[in-house]
Amino acid sequence: MVKSWAFEFFPNPHAHGGEGAAEIDPKLEQDYWNFYMDLWVSAEALGFDGLLLSEHHFGGGYSPSPNILLPAIAQRTKSLRLGVMGNVLPYHTPWRLVEEFAMLDNLTGGRLEIGTSAGIPAELAMVGMSPAEGRARYEESIQVIDQALKNGVINHKGEYWNIENLPVVPPFAQKPEPPKWTTVISVESARKAAKRGSKIATGFISTDKVKEVFDNYKEAAAEAGLEAGPDQLGLRRQVIIDATSVPSEKAEGYKDAFVDMVAAFDKRVIAPGRKALDSDGAHGYAFGDDEFISGSPKEVAEQIKDQCERSGAGHFQVVFAGHQSLEELAMSWKLYGEEVIPLLK
């Protein structure tokens, strides 16, 4: 069985339109927010196991503080798992973020998934933070967060934070702690996540590369005396779905545009000599052809099953792509829920 998670970037509808704040219609803006709230809530009835939001800043997304959205979604759902994939730790004070996680776990009725990320170099640079500083802040934040989740009290001395006997209040609803996820693209980061008992999620890279990353994760987990199987890996992919099939030119057009967009923003793309933020080594990453899944519901399900079986993933995080309108987007969610999820289960 493969569990399905809706992965939501919550795009800024004005990112490429050049509209100023004075030109934005407040009613249309509220309609846009209401549409997405209704869409996210619909995930539960459609059979999704969970909904994952993302944290992005400075233009492309409408979700710089995604944790704020989770309680609103939780109030309108009962079983849907909820999380952020992931909170970008270099932007946050870790002890304060742990308190927020504790509140969210209670407000969601014990449905919180804790996701962390080191961030994107281009976004870090916009606030004057180098990849090296971002990495250092991330690593130290992880130490604080893991200790807080395990002990309920923080004692830490480091470069950025010095904390003594700081209690975490309120207590978490989930015992011993909520599931932890780390966004990775490299073997090094996967091994680090395994040793701290965090699940991993990955995308963009080829399925063969995902398997290599997960094989190393399982090896590191075994060295730490921890079990690792399909439940520890989430595979994220872009999905273009239609009731019958998707014209190849539509899929190829979206693929080319998306890769160009990411490459312009993230200097790690196809850049072997650059310092990658999620690794101590110097490397970049290249998009795999299997990053983009397209076709009818049956065709989409077969591709997902194939990639999950080859990589060892027990979770699939779907990013709905290629739609030209909100109506098309809603139809993609409906098709996936009603026709793909049953095939994956």
Side-chain angles (χ1 to χ4, degrees):
M1 182 181 77
V2 176
K3 294 182 179 180
S4 288
W5 301 70
F7 189 103
E8 182 57 70
F9 284 104
F10 196 14
N12 177 357
H14 315 292
H16 307 292
E19 294 183 78
E23 299 171 304
I24 295 174
D25 185 322
K27 183 182 184 305
L28 293 179
E29 194 77 355
Q30 190 61 62
D31 288 345
Y32 186 76
W33 282 79
N34 291 340
F35 168 84
Y36 269 97
M37 287 299 300
D38 290 342
L39 186 68
W40 299 333
V41 169
S42 75
E44 182 164 278
L46 289 171
F48 285 87
D49 292 278
L51 170 70
L52 300 168
L53 306 180
S54 60
E55 177 182 348
H56 285 288
H57 300 264
F58 319 125
Y62 257 20
S63 190
S65 299
N67 289 341
I68 292 175
L69 296 169
L70 298 183
I73 300 168
Q75 284 190 331
R76 297 174 58 187
T77 56
K78 294 182 179 180
S79 61
L80 193 69
R81 302 292 299 181
L82 298 169
V84 174
M85 194 66 68
N87 287 270
V88 183
L89 298 189
Y91 299 143
H92 301 284
T93 300
W95 60 263
R96 178 67 186 85
L97 193 58
V98 168
E99 293 178 323
E100 192 167 295
F101 289 155
M103 291 184 66
L104 288 170
D105 198 34
N106 283 279
L107 288 170
T108 60
R111 290 185 275 149
L112 180 68
E113 305 274 326
I114 296 178
T116 59
S117 172
I120 298 173
E123 287 188 359
L124 293 172
M126 293 179 75
V127 293
M129 192 181 299
S130 69
E133 181 183 348
R135 167 51 59 185
R137 287 182 176 274
Y138 175 82
E139 295 289 358
E140 191 169 331
S141 294
I142 283 293
Q143 295 175 26
V144 173
I145 290 170
D146 283 354
Q147 184 183 144
L149 291 172
K150 182 179 180 180
N151 302 327
V153 177
I154 305 171
N155 284 283
H156 174 83
K157 291 189 181 297
E159 180 179 357
Y160 298 102
W161 297 281
N162 289 289
I163 306 165
E164 186 174 351
N165 293 327
L166 188 70
V168 177
V169 179
F172 281 85
Q174 297 180 81
K175 306 299 181 186
E177 63 183 42
K180 297 184 294 190
W181 291 86
T182 307
T183 302
V184 306
I185 57 172
S186 72
V187 164
E188 296 95 328
S189 291
R191 294 186 69 89
K192 290 178 183 178
K195 291 176 181 178
R196 49 182 288 263
S198 171
K199 302 180 183 185
I200 58 172
T202 190
F204 295 163
I205 57 178
S206 70
T207 303
D208 288 341
K209 181 65 176 178
V210 173
K211 183 180 185 303
E212 178 189 347
V213 167
F214 193 43
D215 284 346
N216 276 270
Y217 175 97
K218 289 186 288 187
E219 180 179 88
E223 292 170 358
L226 301 172
E227 294 185 5
D231 192 50
Q232 275 67 51
L233 176 61
L235 178 66
R236 188 186 72 241
R237 293 299 193 209
Q238 314 275 325
V239 172
I240 306 174
I241 188 170
D242 191 79
T244 53
S245 191
V246 175
S248 59
E249 59 271 17
K250 179 179 179 181
E252 286 301 316
Y254 173 79
K255 172 184 173 182
D256 293 342
F258 184 84
V259 172
D260 288 346
M261 182 271 291
V262 175
F265 190 67
D266 189 349
K267 293 182 179 180
R268 296 172 297 173
V269 177
I270 318 175
R274 293 174 179 150
K275 182 81 172 179
L277 182 58
D278 77 337
S279 169
D280 294 328
H283 76 284
Y285 66 89
F287 276 88
D289 289 337
D290 37 12
E291 166 66 19
F292 304 92
I293 292 175
S294 62
S296 66
K298 183 178 179 181
E299 292 168 336
V300 164
E302 289 302 319
Q303 292 173 68
I304 292 171
K305 286 191 288 185
D306 174 65
Q307 290 195 34
C308 287
E309 288 172 0
R310 286 163 52 202
S311 64
H315 303 267
F316 185 76
Q317 301 174 359
V318 53
V319 181
F320 291 100
H323 53 274
Q324 302 299 314
S325 67
L326 295 180
E327 290 73 21
E328 282 190 22
L329 174 60
M331 181 54 67
S332 294
W333 281 60
K334 188 171 187 290
L335 284 172
Y336 187 97
E338 292 180 351
E339 300 188 38
V340 175
I341 288 178
L343 295 176
L344 299 180
K345 289 187 179 297

